[in-house]
Structure formats: structure tokens, C-alpha cells
Amino acid sequence: MKIAGAPISWGVCEVPGWGHQLGSEVVLPQMRALGLQATELGPQGWLPTAPAERAAALAEHSLQAVGAFVPVVLHSEVDPRPALEVELDAFDAAGGDVLVLAAATGQDGYDERPQLTPRQWQHLLDNAQRVADLARERGITPALHPHVGTQVENREEVLRVLAGTDLGLCLDTGHLLVGGTDPVELVVQQPERISHVHAKDVRIELARRVGAGELGYTEAVKQGLYAPLGEGDVDLAAIVSALTAVGYDGWWVLEQDVVLTGPPQGEGPQADVRASMEHLRGLAGQQG
């Protein structure tokens, strides 16, 4: 099992006003101290933008790049590929090989989203396919990330992307559940479409309040929507078993989104990442 970290587990997020943002000079050494050997790249600008400098920042801490979560507006008539070329150049230099693509709304944050017209949906599917083809041409694996507050959030929308493109999915076990998709069912029914995994655990009562519109997504994260692996309501054991059975050999990225109100006291997020890593390795060990 290839386990990687993600800066969002330390509260590092692309959303303005998300919370206290830790620098890479804090997070990367902590990742390495936990025994992680790889990380997603975090939001644009968190690591150096220049490809060689980005690669050097990771190499300083003996970390490999997995790839990056990249929100892109796909439902517009504007071709998103030219803007992505710079990010893909950075992938080449830093060694990342997974483009985790989110269907951004064009607005900041994940608390609201517009409803798309049929024409906008066709743009989304066409552009997603174009981006996927571009990534593959450059040796990068594309993975569409269903995500709360994006244009691909709920079960119907996930299935629409699967039917309308040949994109693989980033199985984010938390966002899928919050959006109303059973991640276990998805893995069992379409395991061949899973090309990347974000391992999350979710407190279901908070997830239901988000789904019912009673609680905003950001506020839910602040209240502890995501739990360390093994302490929430996602059936991770079933997911690990199902993906192991079909020979999944991609990354398992530890992602427990948090909002920090200030500099962490004591171990801070490290403690939860350690607990999640140990739990995931334990599940993998049960597979023999």
C-alpha cells in the first residue's frame, strides 16, 4: 500500500479565509517525521511555483510528489487546457503523476454552487475529457474528484461523469459520503474506474446536516466533520478489501480536512495523521 500525505490535513487550503495557514517549512518536515514518503502538492502557490524550485523543496525533505488537487472551471465554453499547462509543467519537474481534477464552480469556497444548464453540463463533460486526454499525453493520470460544493457532488452527477467520459475517479471516501454516494457501493460496482484514493473518515451526523442544507460545509469541517481514520462512519475496511481484491496499486492519500484557528499547540494535526496512517496500515495488513 502506497500511503501519502496531503497539506489539507494540516489545514492548508486554497479557499480564502479557510483558517490559519501553515507554511511548507512547517508541514513538510512533519510529514517526513511521521514516515510519509510522498505528498500531494497542495494549493497553487503553497510550494514554489517554478518547477525546479518546487522539486527542490520536496527533495530537501526526501518527499516524493504524488500530484495535486486542481480545481478547474469545466462548465464554461472556455477551453481550460492552456491554463493547465503551467501546472502540468510543474508536475514534470517535481515528479507528480496524478492530476486530481475538481469541477470548480468559479466561486470561492465550497458552501454554495450554481445549478448547471444542459448546455453547461455538456461543456463540463467535453472539457473534462479534453483535460484527461491532455494529461495522459503527458504521462499523467487524470482523476475526477467528486467534491462537496463543486459541480460534481452527488451520486447522480458522479454517475453522469462516469457515463459521459472515460475519466477515472479520485475515490474521496469522505466527500462521496457527504454528497450522498456510498463509496463502498461505488468501488464494488465500478472498481476499474478508481485511479486514485483520498482516504477520509466522516462523522455521519454532521454529514447528514450538510446534505440537508442545515449546516454549511466549512462550518461542518470546523465542527469536526472529518475524523481520524477508524473513528468515523466510513467502512474503510470494506473499501480496502474491495480495492485490494481488484489489484488497485495507486496511492492512498491521507486527507482529513481541518480548519486551524491559529498555530497548533503541541503535536497539532500530526497526531491525527499518525493515527490515520496506523489505522490504514492495519487494514492493509489484514489483507495478507
Side-chain angles (χ1 to χ4, degrees):
M1 177 178 277
K2 300 187 300 185
I3 300 177
I8 188 64
S9 294
W10 277 261
V12 178
C13 184
E14 72 281 356
V15 177
W18 179 261
H20 179 76
Q21 299 293 292
L22 296 172
S24 59
E25 73 280 359
V26 174
V27 176
L28 297 183
Q30 291 186 6
M31 285 185 177
R32 191 57 187 162
L34 288 170
L36 293 169
Q37 297 180 335
T39 180
E40 287 193 359
L41 297 173
Q44 292 181 339
W46 185 67
L47 289 173
T49 302
E53 293 177 13
R54 184 182 296 193
L58 294 175
E60 180 181 353
H61 302 286
S62 301
L63 286 168
Q64 177 183 347
V66 172
F69 172 76
V70 182
V72 178
V73 174
L74 299 172
H75 60 274
S76 165
E77 295 182 2
V78 177
D79 187 343
R81 289 174 294 182
L84 270 176
E85 289 282 5
V86 173
E87 186 66 31
L88 296 181
D89 288 343
F91 274 39
D92 290 343
D97 60 3
V98 182
L99 173 66
V100 184
L101 182 68
T105 63
Q107 305 169 2
D108 289 334
Y110 299 111
D111 292 316
E112 298 179 356
R113 65 181 192 137
Q115 294 299 308
L116 301 187
T117 66
R119 182 176 178 82
Q120 288 174 316
W121 254 106
Q122 192 58 55
H123 288 320
L124 187 154
L125 296 174
D126 291 345
N127 281 327
Q129 187 65 61
R130 292 185 185 106
V131 169
D133 293 342
L134 173 65
R136 292 183 184 123
E137 288 170 7
R138 300 189 57 161
I140 296 168
T141 299
L144 192 283
H145 186 333
H147 192 294
V148 174
T150 69
Q151 302 301 164
V152 182
E153 172 183 297
N154 61 42
R155 186 174 186 273
E156 178 185 353
E157 292 158 354
V158 172
L159 296 179
R160 194 167 184 174
V161 169
L162 289 173
T165 74
D166 67 3
L167 263 166
L169 284 184
C170 171
L171 185 84
D172 188 299
T173 58
H175 278 282
L176 284 166
L177 189 62
V178 177
T181 302
D182 182 344
V184 177
E185 179 184 65
L186 185 61
V187 170
V188 170
Q189 292 181 350
Q190 303 204 54
E192 74 284 354
R193 300 298 291 271
I194 309 303
S195 54
H196 194 56
V197 176
H198 282 176
K200 281 188 174 72
D201 213 341
V202 173
R203 294 182 172 97
I204 194 65
E205 288 305 317
L206 284 171
R208 286 172 177 158
R209 291 183 63 196
V210 173
E214 300 172 0
L215 187 65
Y217 177 73
T218 305
E219 181 58 32
V221 175
K222 290 178 181 178
Q223 292 186 24
L225 174 63
Y226 298 115
L229 300 188
E231 297 182 18
D233 297 291
V234 174
D235 191 350
L236 287 160
I239 291 168
V240 171
S241 178
L243 286 178
T244 301
V246 297
Y248 174 76
D249 62 355
W251 288 100
W252 295 78
V253 180
L254 298 173
E255 264 210 347
Q256 306 307 122
D257 301 21
V258 297
V259 176
L260 299 180
T261 58
Q265 302 299 310
E267 272 203 303
Q270 288 183 91
D272 286 348
V273 177
R274 180 184 296 108
S276 293
M277 184 167 56
E278 291 174 353
H279 183 76
L280 190 56
R281 283 179 173 161
L283 293 178
Q286 293 171 17
Q287 302 306 309

